[in-house]
Structure formats: structure tokens, C-alpha cells
Amino acid sequence: MLGLLIGLLAVVIILLYLFGTRTFSYWAKRGVKHDVPVPFFGNAKRQFLQEISFADIYAETYRKYPNERFVGYYLTTTPLLVLRDPELAKHVLVSDFNYFSSRNVFPLDKHPEPLLKNLIMCEGDLWKFLRQRMTPAFTTGKVKAMFPLIVARAEKLQRVAGDAAASGAEVDVRDLMARYTTDFIGACGFGIDTDTLSDKNNMFRKLGQRIFRQELRDMIVAIIKYNVPKLMTRFHFLAPEIEKTMTKLVKTIMKERDYKNSGRNDFIDSLLDLKEQGKMIGESLMRKKADGTPCMVEMEMDDELLVAQVFMFFAAGFETSSAVTSYALHELAHHPDHQRRCQEEIDSVLARHDNKVSYEALKEMKFLHMCFSEAMRIFPSIGFLQRMCVKPYTIPGTDITVDPGVNVIVPVKALHLDPQYFPDPEEFRPERFHPDNVSAINKYTYLPFGTGPRACIGERLGYMQSLAGLAALLSQFSVAPSISTLRKPIIDTKVFGIQSAKGGLPLTLIARKKTQ
Ligand code: HEM
Ligand SMILES: *[C@@H]1O[C@H](CO)[C@@H](O)[C@H](O)[C@H]1NC(C)=O
């Protein structure tokens, strides 16, 4: 009897082992180098135990194989390829985009959740349709039209920073910039006046925090859904409170405007314009007719899709911008000479512009641009880009073919910090981005906004909104390291996808004495 039990147990263990290692010959068979994977976890054990962030493990993999153009990896049992060669990054992100049109965050075919139908997460024809439709909402003209809304928030940022400077206490600039960004998203994305800058317990700020905080409920649902998608269709990745609040909020705003452009020039107005245009018909990205020409598909911008795009504004614009603006302040605090140069430039530009932070004024702040670009190099908000192979792809210059479903990673953080491309990479040197030097930078080694058809659609908006916050702050305050400032911030491994400093970025704010 006991013998039978032990025998059964052994069989179960062997079967489990075989299941947990079933894909582990994928890279070896193709002669692609990689670390030895462990059952079930693959190479990702430390990621799942939250000992290291995704961006850092991919960077580590990049550094470990200096002579390869790409390195194999197993994210649990799913094979994934980490690219090292910028030329290959160009193929995957730009020239061979048709093979890699998916980002594969939460595959929608398996998880048809309403809020996940947003531009960042969707794929295939829905992505193509939304991208085409939404591109006009992010042109320079649209960003300029939004600017008065941004400037009003930047001025409020100055007032709140003034209170903090007067109290003399240490300020977490990460939190300060996050509240500025939340107010910006409220005004430009949702078309409402939020007051997160002065009111710490604001409902809108809370919603923002909840979206990015992984709670136990989220982890359990995610683990089960990833492994057995069919088991839990009733449960969504996004908690019911997020879904309900978001849907109610957006629908109320659209109703208030009677589903018509209100002239406020925000994102809701752009979306309502799109809705008005009715059905869109276009060529399918993947589906082909018997003669090889693309099928025609049609789609309509319904309420559900509109709500998902507003949600996207939150998901894409919030942490990205606050992470990098606060990091720029952190570097300037440690480089008083660069900081002074930024301030002198801001003062002289603003003097010529009626002392108002406008779109045109920001364009003239060349050194601030350089500092911001350099901050994004050392601390890119998004440390890696991801694409999924959607049809069999032979890697250029090899006879290795990867299959649909394999994720490809462009390890942005590793490229930005590779001494081969940026000498003394840990050093903050804005002159790398001087117009005379910028042309020497290989485009595919510097990717803070990604590139190709799926690059950041909000680049111009995010860039200018970030600069507006920095210019407003530095025109009235100086930043300096304080008691709890760490020279090199520690990356919070609990935050997924975005690089975030653990414990924030504490600095001292000092009001400037201006002579004018
Ligand atoms: C400084 C601020 C920002 C940074 C650093 C940033 C960075 C990025 C990066 C790295 C990507 C991935 C690109 C790729 O995979 O090639 C991305 C995608 C995206 N970003 Fe941004 N972003 C910022 C602000 C914004 C803002 C304000 C919006 C406005 C809503 C936005 C909307 C999006 C969207 C929709 C995508 C997905 C595009 C697609 O898949 O077609 N981002 N962003
Ligand atoms: C270009 O970069 C080099 C090396 O970092 C630097 O010495 C030089 O001053 C830069 N050029 C400008 C115009 O800033």
C-alpha cells in the first residue's frame, strides 16, 4: 500500500517536473545562449519574488552576454528573447513591425475586459483602428491648444511648492510631481478640475494610486488568469472599484457635454469628435482574402472604447512623467552648476515672454531640454520595450526562426547605460544632448519613448508637460540634497513596468531670491 503511494507520488512529481520544464529546450534547440532555467519559474524566479525589477533583470541578462546579438530567456515557461544589437531593435520595432505588432500585456482574446481595450494594451485591427483615429488628438496643434490647462496646473505647483519650502521640511519631489501630473491628467485627459496638489486625500489621486498598487486580490486573480484564462472570466485583472469609478466618471462627463465638443480642447473633446465621425472602415492588419489582399474591417467608437481610452491616459501619462521629472530634479540637486544654468536660462526666456510659461517659451529653453533628455537616459521611466512575435520570423543574419507567441525585449535601460554608446554612463552630462552632439547618438540606443508604429503617442504632450512642471518649479525654487537623499535611488521592485524610486525622492526646496 505504502509502496503504491510512494510510486504514485513519484509519478506526480515527475509529471509536474515535465510540465514545469516542457518548453526549456526552445533556445537550446536553436543554439541561442541563455542562463539555465528552473522548473516553473524559468529564469524569472527573482522577478516573481520581487527581488529585482523586470527592467533590471533584462539589463543584467544584457550585460552577462557581451558577445551575443541576442540572448534567450524563460519568463516562467514562456520563451522570450532579449535583444542586444540596436540594429535588431530597429528591425523589430520599425522595419519588421508587421511581425511584431503586439505588445502582449494582457492578451485581449483571452481576457476581453472593457478597460483593457485601450491603445497601450490592444493589438491587431483594434490597435490599428484606435491608433489611426487617435493620432490627430496628439498633434502639436492639439498639444498647444491644451497648454493653458497645463500652465494653470504648473502655477498651482509653484504655490504648493512655496508652502513646502516655507516649512523647511524635506519634500518628496516624486510625490509632488505625481500630484502635478495627476492634476494635469484630470484637466487634459478627463476634462475636470481636480485638486490633488493641495488635497492629499483627493478621490482622483486615490484612484491613480490604486491603479498602480498591486493588492493581494490583484496578484491572486492575475496568477490564476495567466495560467487558466477560462477559469475566472467573471474576475477581471482590474479590480471592480477601478472599473466602476472610471466608467461612471467618464460617462458623467460626456453626458454633461451632451456628447458634443465643449471647446475646452481636452482629450474628452477629441474623443467626442471621433465618435461623431461614426464608423471607420479600413484594411485589416492580419486577415487576408484568398487573393492575398487585406480584408476590409469596420469598427465604431462606442462608449466602452471611449472609456478605455480615457483610462489609457491615466495608465500611460501618470507614472512615466512624474518618475522622470522628479529624477531630473534629483540630478540637478546634485549638480548645482547645471541647475544654475537652467535657472538663468529660464529667467531670461521668461523675461522675454511676459514671465509666463508658454509652449513657445519652453521651446527656447535649450539647456533644460538637454538636462531632461539626459535624465531620461539615466532613468528611463519605462526600462524595457516589449513586442510579441505574431508570425514566424527569421532573425536577420541568422537561420534562427522564432514562433508566434515569443516575446521580444528591447532592454532600454541596459542600452542607455552601456559605456559603448554613452561613455561614463552613470554620469549626468547634459552636453551629450547638445545639438552638436545629438546626431552622433544611435537612435536605437536611446529610446525613452520607444520607436516605430507603436512608439509613445503622447511623446510631445508628455515632454512638454514635464518641461512645464520643471520650468515652473526651477524658476522659483532651487533643489538640494537633504538628509535622507540617496545618491543612487533604489528601484522599487513592487512597481511593475515603470521604474520607480523606493521611498520616493526626498529633496530640500529653497525659495530663490530674485533680483529683478
Ligand atoms: C514623459 C512622459 C512619457 C514617457 C517617458 C512615455 C514613454 C512611453 C514608452 C516608452 C512607450 C512604449 C513605446 C514602445 O513600445 O515603443 C509608451 C507608449 C505609449 N504612451 Fe507614453 N510616455 C509618456 C507620456 C505619455 C502621455 C502623456 C500619454 C498620453 C495619453 C502617453 C500615451 C502612450 C500610449 C497610448 C502608448 C502606447 C502606444 C501604442 O501602443 O500604440 N504617454 N510611452
Ligand atoms: C559634446 O560632447 C563632448 C563630450 O562629452 C563635450 O566635451 C562637448 O563639450 C560637447 N559639445 C557641446 C557643444 O556641448
Side-chain angles (χ1 to χ4, degrees):
M1 190 62 197
L2 191 66
L4 190 67
L5 266 177
I6 292 173
L8 255 172
L9 197 66
V11 171
V12 169
I13 290 173
I14 290 169
L15 284 178
L16 267 178
Y17 177 84
L18 289 176
F19 182 71
T21 58
R22 66 195 181 283
T23 56
F24 290 171
S25 59
Y26 193 86
W27 294 125
K29 255 196 269 172
R30 288 166 174 76
V32 177
K33 290 202 178 147
H34 61 85
D35 284 357
V36 178
V38 300
F40 291 101
F41 284 109
N43 302 112
K45 193 165 139 206
R46 284 156 64 219
Q47 268 151 287
F48 284 102
L49 297 179
Q50 297 190 329
E51 292 170 6
I52 188 165
S53 74
F54 280 66
D56 282 323
I57 187 91
Y58 298 142
E60 200 181 277
T61 308
Y62 174 98
R63 288 181 197 125
K64 207 163 160 185
Y65 294 87
N67 300 319
E68 302 306 306
R69 293 172 66 214
F70 42 83
V71 184
Y73 190 89
Y74 294 97
L75 184 66
T76 71
T77 48
T78 309
L80 173 155
L81 196 66
V82 178
L83 302 186
R84 292 196 75 268
D85 176 1
E87 270 311 297
L88 282 182
K90 179 182 176 176
H91 277 283
V92 167
L93 298 171
V94 185
S95 16
D96 298 328
F97 176 75
N98 280 343
Y99 294 85
F100 298 98
S101 57
S102 166
R103 182 170 281 126
N104 194 30
V105 189
F106 304 106
L108 265 176
D109 51 344
K110 289 195 198 118
H111 314 289
E113 279 181 40
L115 291 186
L116 297 185
K117 292 186 186 168
N118 66 65
L119 186 59
I120 316 164
M121 292 164 189
C122 66
E123 47 200 79
D125 291 331
L126 180 60
W127 170 78
K128 189 182 167 204
F129 160 80
L130 287 174
R131 180 91 194 189
Q132 267 176 10
R133 284 243 143 161
M134 288 182 23
T135 298
F138 291 95
T139 57
T140 309
K142 283 279 159 74
V143 174
K144 277 190 188 166
M146 273 186 201
F147 234 69
L149 296 170
I150 296 177
V151 171
R153 271 76 214 167
E155 283 167 358
K156 203 152 91 192
L157 170 66
Q158 289 174 326
R159 290 199 291 280
V160 175
D163 296 343
S167 80
E170 200 172 62
V171 181
D172 177 5
V173 292
R174 167 69 220 232
D175 181 61
L176 183 67
M177 297 318 270
R179 284 192 278 144
Y180 161 61
T181 309
T182 310
D183 272 8
F184 148 73
I185 289 169
C188 296
F190 288 73
I192 51 175
D193 264 308
T194 61
D195 195 15
T196 43
L197 267 163
S198 17
D199 173 12
K200 280 201 174 197
N201 296 318
N202 183 285
M203 160 270 199
F204 201 64
R205 169 88 175 118
K206 282 199 170 144
L207 182 63
Q209 284 173 325
R210 177 64 186 89
I211 292 171
F212 291 97
R213 193 176 54 234
Q214 280 247 340
E215 288 188 357
L216 188 64
R217 177 253 168 232
D218 308 331
M219 303 246 241
I220 295 172
V221 170
I223 290 171
I224 300 178
K225 281 182 83 86
Y226 272 130
N227 285 294
V228 209
K230 287 211 179 70
L231 197 64
M232 300 238 298
T233 44
R234 252 169 17 88
F235 290 88
H236 289 175
F237 283 106
L238 295 167
E241 67 260 30
I242 302 178
E243 246 173 45
K244 280 202 196 105
T245 317
M246 192 65 71
T247 309
K248 201 170 138 216
L249 196 59
V250 178
K251 286 201 173 156
T252 311
I253 298 163
M254 291 194 295
K255 240 186 236 134
E256 265 171 21
R257 296 182 185 189
D258 204 12
Y259 284 88
K260 283 191 194 76
N261 190 320
S262 71
R264 212 169 166 273
N265 289 318
D266 53 25
F267 188 58
I268 300 255
D269 272 351
S270 294
L271 288 175
L272 289 172
D273 284 346
L274 286 187
K275 193 178 163 73
E276 200 131 274
Q277 289 166 21
K279 269 207 185 90
M280 187 176 107
I281 301 166
E283 290 180 351
S284 174
L285 194 65
M286 295 288 287
R287 277 183 287 157
K288 299 247 186 303
K289 284 186 245 162
D291 64 2
T293 57
C295 291
M296 297 309 274
V297 280
E298 56 172 53
M299 273 180 228
E300 194 155 10
M301 203 76 178
D302 58 16
D303 278 3
E304 193 179 89
L305 277 183
L306 288 183
V307 175
Q309 306 327 306
V310 181
F311 170 71
M312 167 282 279
F313 218 98
F314 226 134
F318 173 62
E319 293 265 352
T320 44
S321 154
S322 49
V324 71
T325 44
S326 54
Y327 189 77
L329 291 170
H330 175 84
E331 284 293 350
L332 290 173
H334 291 91
H335 292 275
D337 46 340
H338 293 326
Q339 184 176 169
R340 208 167 310 119
R341 201 171 145 195
C342 281
Q343 288 170 327
E344 281 163 12
E345 181 186 67
I346 294 168
D347 292 351
S348 77
V349 170
L350 290 186
R352 269 182 274 128
H353 286 266
D354 209 13
N355 275 317
K356 289 230 154 30
V357 179
S358 62
Y359 189 90
E360 287 70 25
L362 288 174
K363 279 268 161 201
E364 288 177 30
M365 298 178 187
K366 300 277 192 274
F367 190 66
L368 188 63
H369 278 264
M370 289 160 60
C371 290
F372 186 61
S373 299
E374 176 66 345
M376 287 197 290
R377 182 189 64 78
I378 303 182
F379 199 84
S381 327
I382 301 189
F384 65 95
L385 307 175
Q386 179 169 312
R387 295 291 185 272
M388 186 184 81
C389 180
V390 294
K391 47 186 178 181
Y393 180 71
T394 302
I395 303 174
T398 74
D399 50 13
I400 298 169
T401 298
V402 290
D403 297 303
V406 172
N407 281 347
V408 178
I409 300 293
V410 178
V412 172
K413 188 177 184 183
L415 290 162
H416 285 195
L417 294 171
D418 186 338
Q420 190 188 338
Y421 307 121
F422 300 96
D424 302 320
E426 304 281 343
E427 294 205 358
F428 182 75
R429 289 186 190 155
E431 62 271 16
R432 298 182 210 262
F433 291 91
H434 187 279
D436 291 354
N437 280 342
V438 115
S439 55
I441 296 174
N442 175 340
K443 251 182 82 181
Y444 299 95
T445 61
Y446 180 68
L447 296 162
F449 291 99
T451 191
R454 277 207 96 141
C456 178
I457 201 172
E459 170 166 356
R460 215 174 279 120
L461 179 63
Y463 198 106
M464 295 308 276
Q465 175 263 340
S466 298
L467 281 198
L470 287 175
L473 206 65
L474 290 170
S475 82
Q476 299 195 345
F477 305 93
S478 297
V479 283
S482 64
I483 323 165
S484 33
T485 307
L486 295 176
R487 180 63 187 96
K488 201 172 172 341
I490 296 165
I491 300 293
D492 189 345
T493 55
K494 288 194 173 62
V495 180
F496 173 75
I498 308 261
Q499 291 217 87
S500 178
K502 200 172 172 180
L505 289 171
L507 292 177
T508 305
L509 278 182
I510 309 142
R512 289 176 64 202
K513 289 190 202 66
K514 284 201 221 176
T515 42
Q516 41 178 325

